[in-house]
């Protein structure tokens, strides 16, 4: 049976719909950076997602090619993730989606090296006939975070984030947003097939212990 990150690491992919604190380990990702409204048809975000999945599935199916990845085992491609922020705005202004900055990501198995990634970018560009040169191999060490399962449309996230903030106050923590530590979402539902009211999204924020 193929290795499934969601099942093997439930504490990071399947939290409950109430806030909880986790310490997220370092991991490698395919990433594409961009800016703009994610809902724009044919926009930068949609193109970025196409690139991510092209590279991700090239790596996933590499065992059927002449290129062999050391330590490879079959796995389920992990869910799409995203880091989001807006310049000079505290929190998130959902009425101004055009100002979103984002890093879209898909997690990589630990056995995938930078060399393997570069091979996949080249192969995906040739086979899918799309420019995958914007894809990056990055390592992220999130560390201490608060997370929750948000159920419903993205525009309803502020109410869920308020629950997270309240939980932090009650437990002696504060948000710790920086240029490197950002609002993080993990998308567990296929928005094309699932009603928005049933969308499941992990929301994760970086935190630190409040000094007395």
């Amino acid at each position: 049976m193929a290795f499934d990150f969601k099942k093997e690491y439930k504490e990071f992919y399947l939290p409950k719909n109430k806030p909880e604190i986790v310490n997220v380990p370092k991991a490698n990702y395919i990433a594409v950076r961009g800016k703009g409204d994610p809902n724009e048809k044919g926009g930068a975000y949609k193109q970025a997602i196409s690139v991510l999945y092209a590279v991700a599935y090239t790596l996933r199916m590499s065992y059927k090619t002449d290129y062999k990845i050391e330590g490879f085992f079959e796995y389920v491609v992990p869910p799409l993730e995203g880091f989001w922020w807006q310049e000079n705005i505290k929190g998130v202004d959902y009425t101004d989606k055009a100002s979103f900055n984002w890093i879209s990501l898909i997690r990589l198995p630990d056995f995938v090296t930078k060399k393997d990634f570069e091979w996949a970018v080249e192969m995906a560009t040739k086979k899918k006939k799309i420019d995958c040169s914007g894809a990056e191999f990055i390592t992220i060490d999130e560390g201490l975070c608060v997370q929750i399962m948000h159920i419903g449309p993205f525009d309803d996230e502020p109410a869920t984030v308020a629950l997270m903030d309240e939980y932090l106050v009650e437990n002696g923590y504060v948000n710790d947003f920086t240029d490197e530590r950002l609002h993080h979402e993990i998308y567990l539902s296929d928005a094309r097939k699932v009603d928005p009211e049933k969308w499941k999204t992990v929301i994760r924020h970086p935190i630190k212990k409040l000094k007395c």
Side-chain angles (χ1 to χ4, degrees), residues 13 23 40 42 54 61 67 72-73 75 95 101 104 113 120 126 130 147 152 161 167 170 177 205 208 212:
Y13 290 98
N23 206 327
E40 180 186 353
M61 303 307 293
Y67 185 88
F72 180 93
F73 53 78
Y75 62 97
T95 66
N101 295 280
S104 292
T113 66
K126 289 179 181 178
I130 59 174
Q147 67 179 19
V161 170
Y167 177 84
E170 293 173 349
F177 293 110
H205 284 173
K208 62 183 178 181
C212 298

Side-chain angles (χ1 to χ4, degrees), residues 50-170:
S50 296
V51 169
L52 285 176
Y53 278 109
V55 176
Y57 276 97
T58 298
L59 287 164
R60 165 69 178 83
M61 303 307 293
S62 63
Y63 71 99
K64 292 189 174 183
T65 72
D66 292 335
Y67 185 88
K68 302 304 177 186
I69 298 177
E70 185 176 352
F72 180 93
F73 53 78
E74 290 194 52
Y75 62 97
V76 177
V77 171
L80 177 69
E81 307 186 32
F83 289 100
W84 300 83
W85 72 100
Q86 291 163 301
E87 304 293 343
N88 304 315
I89 293 177
K90 184 178 181 180
V92 181
D93 180 2
Y94 288 89
T95 66
D96 186 17
K97 294 183 174 68
S99 69
F100 276 136
N101 295 280
W102 38 263
I103 306 173
S104 292
L105 319 98
I106 293 178
R107 183 173 175 173
L108 290 169
D110 290 343
F111 58 71
V112 174
T113 66
K114 181 79 179 301
K115 178 185 174 183
D116 300 327
F117 167 81
E118 290 171 348
W119 166 83
V121 169
E122 182 179 351
M123 287 301 297
T125 298
K126 289 179 181 178
K127 288 196 169 186
K128 300 294 184 181
K129 294 184 170 33
I130 59 174
D131 182 8
C132 295
S133 62
E136 302 175 47
F137 179 96
I138 66 173
T139 302
I140 297 175
D141 189 357
E142 284 192 89
L144 194 65
C145 296
V146 61
Q147 67 179 19
I148 192 172
M149 181 71 79
H150 170 74
I151 300 176
F154 302 132
D155 286 352
D156 290 349
E157 286 185 8
T160 301
V161 170
L163 292 176
M164 298 166 69
D165 291 343
E166 182 180 345
Y167 177 84
L168 294 182
V169 171
E170 293 173 349

Side-chain angles (χ1 to χ4, degrees), residues 143-208:
L144 194 65
C145 296
V146 61
Q147 67 179 19
I148 192 172
M149 181 71 79
H150 170 74
I151 300 176
F154 302 132
D155 286 352
D156 290 349
E157 286 185 8
T160 301
V161 170
L163 292 176
M164 298 166 69
D165 291 343
E166 182 180 345
Y167 177 84
L168 294 182
V169 171
E170 293 173 349
N171 289 276
Y173 292 86
V174 292
N175 287 306
D176 187 30
F177 293 110
T178 67
D179 290 344
E180 303 295 328
R181 308 189 77 204
L182 303 162
H183 174 91
H184 186 182
E185 299 181 356
I186 304 174
Y187 309 106
L188 302 179
S189 303
D190 187 336
R192 301 167 299 176
K193 301 177 181 178
V194 179
D195 186 276
E197 298 302 321
K198 296 180 180 179
W199 288 350
K200 292 183 177 181
T201 307
V202 179
I203 301 177
R204 185 181 293 160
H205 284 173
I207 62 172
K208 62 183 178 181

